[in-house]
Structure formats: C-alpha cells, structure tokens
Amino acid sequence: MTQKHIVSGNILVYSGDPFMLPLDEAVCIQTDSAILIKNGKITERGPRSHLLKSHPTAAHTPHHDKLICPGFIDAHAHYPQTAMIASWGKRLIDWLNTYTFPEEMRFADPDYAAEIAARYLDLSTAHGTTSMASFCTIHSESVEAFFEEALKRGQRVIAGKTCMDRNAPEGLRDTAQRGYDESKALLEKWHGKERISYAITPRFSPTSTPDQLEALGALWAQHPDCLMQTHLSEQLDEIEWVSELFPQARDYLDTYEHFGLLGARGIYGHAIHLKPREIDRISEVRGNLVHCPTSNTFIGSGLFDMAGLKARGLSIGLATDTGGGSSFSMLRTMAAAYEIAQLRGTVLHAGHLLWLATQGSATSLHLEDKVGSLDVGMEADIVVLNLASTPAIEQRYKNAKDQWDMVFPTIMMGDDRAIEQVWIGGVLKSPS
Ligand code: GUN
Ligand code: ZN
C-alpha cells in the first residue's frame, strides 16, 4: 500500500498574482491546515482535523506555528560558481575575467564537476530551495554532473551547457557548430527525463558570435518546448560593449531577437537597464525576466524596476544568481528585493516576496502546473519555515501584530537556520 503522509501547520496559499489582484485576495496563510502527500504529489489540502480524521493511517508531521510554503525556486543560478561566491572588488566584466572564468575552467574535470554539483545541491536544499534554473559551463561534463546529481535526489531542475565562442579564454570557448552539436546531444539525452528539463544557454551576446547565436536560435526553433536562458542588460558598460559588438542591433534585446532567441519560453536574467522598445517586445512575446537582487547590489549593477515591469504585466522570477549573488538563500534574496524596491520608492509585502520566490519563479520557468504552490495535484516540494529561528528574530516574532508581521522578520533577517524541513517530491530531505 502507498504510504500517505500528512504535513500540518500554517499553510501559504495563493489564489492569483498579488501584483495583479489585491494582496489579501491573492495570498493568504491558512492556519491549522494540512496537506496530504501521496506518490510524491499533494493529493488533498484542508483543515488539519478534517484530514487527520479522513486518513487515520497516514503518517503525520505536525508543525504547529511553523509556516509551510512551496519549496523555493531559484530562477537563475550558476552552480559552477559555488566555490567562488563572494569574490571581492570587481564589476561584471572584470569579475567574470578575474574570478568566474578561471573557476569555470576547472569543470573540464568530471570529478570536480560532480563534487561541486553535489555541494551546490546540498547548500541550496539546506536553504530551502527545491528547484532551480542553472547555467553550467562550456563543458558537457558539467551538465552531465549536474543532471546526474539532481536525478539521484529526485529534484526538478532546469540547466544547460553555457555556450561561448568569443571573448572568453582558450579552454572556455567552443564554436558555433560545437555549441549547437553539444547542446543538441545533451538536450536529446536529458530533456524530459524524470524531473529534468534542458535550457538552451547562450551565456550572453558578448561571448557568442552572430554565427553561434544563429545556430542556437535554430536549435531552439527545432525544440520549441525547451526553455532558453541568458543574460540581458545587467550593467551599463556591458550594454555599451554589446552596441560595439553588434553595430546593426537596435538594442541589447535585438541581439537575441534577430537570431530567433526571443520568445515566450525565453528567460532573461537581470534586465535592469531596459529601453522602452525592449520592454514592449518582451511584453508582446510574453518573455520572462528574472530579478537577481543580491547580485545586482554585490556587482553594482543597478536597481531593477519590479513595480514598473509588473505593472506592464510581465512574468518575473526571483533568483540568487549564485555566485554573482552573494547568498544561496532565497530568504536573503527576498530581503534584497525588498530593499531594492524601497530604493525605487515602492514597498513589497511579505506576500509579494514569497510569491515571487515560489509561484512567480515557477511561472517564469513554465513550471507553474508542477511546482510553486501547495495546490492539489502539485508535486510535493515543500519548505517549512521556523519563524523564530534566532534570538533576534524570535523577540520580534513574539511582538508581531498579525500573521504577516510574524513572517516578515524571517524574510528580512532569516537564513538557513529558519529552514525547519525540506521535502522534495514528497520525500523528507532536510534534516535527513
Ligand atoms: N553575464 C554573463 N555571465 C554572467 C555571470 O556568470 N554572472 C552574471 N551575474 N552576469 C553574467
Ligand atoms: Zn547569471
């Protein structure tokens, strides 16, 4: 007989996008609630007493005052940058050349790739992240290592070989043809296997020739159900460089659009300094943006316009951008998104922040029918938050005025100590 499991406590529930609906209609915390997990999925949700009565033989994990959330979803990360996170003193292009590229070079060694893939997935799970879209390196070995490790853990992940055929050191460059061939082989092997999806991954237009962008655009046209992930308009120097490298392009987005790399399954990381035409086009094609706030402050990139872009109805995910970002924690990432919004004169509610880190990210990655909420039918990826995880947070929690006021200090001050439990595909992972 299949084992059934009830997890009970206070449950975060969504009815819509809180940037589109009034917040209290879109997001709520249901107290004394429970979910039933069977075969890795959520099969029922309702009052705790009701579920316990209807399923007397189910195992039960009670959480009382803890907050049960969908597992966090990191919509843009670089797992190969795990070992060089928080490297000092450079802005984007110098940071890539000084720290990132030398580290990524090491992934030619499959043993090193396997070691870092396991370390990254351990760290992200310990921080409550159950799914992510990760860049790998130029080496197919780095993609194999990441997917093998995710497969072992039953995790829903998206990743792809990071293609570069110029402006990168020898050893980190492929060619237009090799980028196409190796991406195609990996895609055919892995896309749709268990919970794994492949994303075609040109790093960003400065490191791809027009020939490579064209080849990857052709690959995407042949596999339109795949995602395509890249970077867009992160720093002003980078944008200037793109305009020198692509003198015919109308703007940065056009360097992708021209080669068939703009579409509804396109995921564009950063997108800070967008021009009106770029916003209009992304909106028309229903492309997806990813906000990486700890990275944007750490590398000094700028202030993402969350309120303005959500007002245009754009799909936006939230991400660490490990290791340009300075933390593996999506709680830290939500806090940084709050701070950046404040610097732009807008206020994000705890409900907005949690939604962005779960259903917002899931929607930006076209996974909203699988993960990102605790609705019936969803895969059982769950993070349980202890809302009093440190003395500083606890004393603030005890003075809270209402449910949301109990949650907000954990968003602003919390870290991996706030992660009480993590479930992936209905299996308890942490603490194991
Ligand atoms: N732009 C191109 N590559 C990268 C990267 O690895 N990190 C960040 N933050 N931006 C990039
Ligand atoms: Zn990135």
Side-chain angles (χ1 to χ4, degrees):
M1 200 173 72
T2 313
Q3 173 68 48
K4 292 191 278 189
H5 210 118
I6 291 172
V7 182
S8 69
N10 298 332
I11 300 190
L12 185 68
V13 173
Y14 305 130
S15 318
D17 179 344
F19 291 89
M20 303 295 167
L21 296 174
L23 189 110
D24 53 359
E25 277 178 36
V27 187
C28 75
I29 297 172
Q30 291 181 351
T31 54
D32 297 324
S33 248
I35 50 181
L36 180 73
I37 300 171
K38 205 167 97 181
N39 294 330
K41 294 213 169 164
I42 297 170
T43 55
E44 258 182 73
R45 191 181 72 217
R48 174 173 39 210
S49 54
H50 175 83
L51 259 72
L52 288 174
K53 211 192 246 162
S54 334
H55 303 279
T57 59
H60 180 208
T61 305
H63 283 297
H64 307 291
D65 294 333
K66 310 274 175 355
L67 184 66
I68 302 174
C69 305
F72 297 142
I73 301 175
D74 188 345
H76 178 123
H78 299 254
Y79 97 81
Q81 297 173 16
T82 296
M84 46 67 74
I85 192 169
S87 290
W88 181 81
K90 305 284 182 191
R91 293 171 68 87
L92 179 61
I93 305 305
D94 288 338
W95 174 86
L96 284 171
N97 287 318
T98 312
Y99 299 120
T100 314
F101 291 160
E103 177 62 19
E104 291 194 6
M105 208 86 89
R106 303 180 69 185
F107 286 71
D109 173 1
D111 292 340
Y112 188 66
E115 179 190 334
I116 300 297
R119 190 188 303 174
Y120 167 78
L121 288 172
D122 283 348
L123 284 165
S124 52
T125 303
H127 286 84
T129 299
T130 50
S131 284
M132 69 287 298
S134 182
F135 289 62
C136 299
T137 69
I138 198 83
H139 316 96
S140 294
E141 292 84 345
S142 73
V143 185
E144 296 281 352
F146 187 70
F147 284 153
E148 290 288 358
E149 194 58 43
L151 195 66
K152 265 193 244 164
R153 297 166 187 238
Q155 268 184 267
R156 180 161 288 290
V157 300
I158 298 168
K161 166 190 147 80
T162 298
C163 298
M164 298 196 274
D165 68 343
R166 66 167 163 176
N167 294 319
E170 180 68 39
L172 269 194
R173 291 194 307 268
D174 50 18
T175 62
Q177 190 64 46
R178 258 185 50 217
Y180 174 93
D181 290 343
E182 292 177 6
S183 300
K184 183 169 159 34
L186 288 162
L187 182 163
E188 286 171 351
K189 175 170 176 190
W190 287 102
H191 187 59
K193 194 172 204 164
E194 307 266 329
R195 302 181 79 198
I196 287 167
S197 309
Y198 193 83
I200 296 165
T201 308
R203 178 173 219 120
F204 66 156
S205 35
T207 48
S208 287
T209 59
D211 281 353
Q212 180 163 78
L213 294 173
E214 189 172 357
L216 295 176
L219 183 62
W220 199 19
Q222 289 149 13
H223 298 275
D225 60 322
C226 279
L227 298 169
M228 190 290 303
Q229 60 180 352
T230 190
H231 297 84
L232 175 68
S233 292
E234 182 176 358
Q235 286 206 348
L236 296 175
D237 293 0
E238 171 208 9
I239 297 170
E240 186 56 42
W241 191 25
V242 169
S243 71
E244 285 162 20
L245 291 168
F246 295 86
Q248 324 293 2
R250 287 169 288 184
D251 44 44
Y252 197 152
L253 186 71
D254 201 28
T255 65
Y256 299 129
E257 185 173 355
H258 183 76
F259 297 108
L261 293 168
L262 175 65
R265 297 182 82 83
I267 308 157
Y268 305 90
H270 301 287
I272 298 168
H273 308 284
L274 296 180
K275 306 205 166 63
R277 189 201 82 88
E278 296 177 296
I279 299 172
D280 289 346
R281 282 300 289 144
I282 292 165
S283 168
E284 276 164 26
V285 306
R286 307 180 75 76
N288 309 279
L289 305 182
V290 183
H291 179 29
C292 307
T294 69
S295 169
N296 298 162
T297 51
F298 182 73
I299 319 185
S301 303
L303 305 178
F304 182 82
D305 183 13
M306 179 65 76
L309 293 165
K310 281 303 292 183
R312 290 290 309 268
L314 291 182
S315 157
I316 300 176
L318 189 66
T320 61
D321 190 29
T322 298
S326 53
S327 174
F328 295 94
S329 168
M330 288 299 284
L331 289 171
R332 245 328 276 133
T333 304
M334 289 179 237
Y338 178 84
E339 290 162 352
I340 287 183
Q342 281 281 44
L343 287 169
R344 291 202 65 120
T346 54
V347 182
L348 297 178
H349 187 275
H352 288 124
L353 295 163
L354 285 164
W355 183 87
L356 281 168
T358 53
Q359 194 158 62
S361 282
T363 305
S364 75
L365 301 174
H366 289 249
L367 296 177
E368 71 277 14
D369 57 338
K370 299 181 174 64
V371 289
S373 86
L374 299 178
D375 291 345
V376 169
M378 305 297 281
E379 295 168 358
D381 287 353
I382 298 163
V383 57
V384 181
L385 297 181
N386 173 359
L387 301 180
S389 61
T390 67
I393 298 174
E394 185 179 27
Q395 56 87 36
R396 174 64 179 76
Y397 168 83
K398 283 182 173 156
N399 286 328
K401 294 187 297 293
D402 56 36
Q403 285 282 351
W404 288 118
D405 202 30
M406 290 178 187
V407 177
F408 190 60
T410 286
I411 291 179
M412 293 310 298
M413 300 165 74
D415 51 30
D416 49 335
R417 289 168 291 179
I419 308 304
E420 179 81 9
Q421 271 191 349
V422 179
W423 297 71
I424 294 179
V427 177
L428 181 60
K429 294 287 174 175
S430 157
S432 46

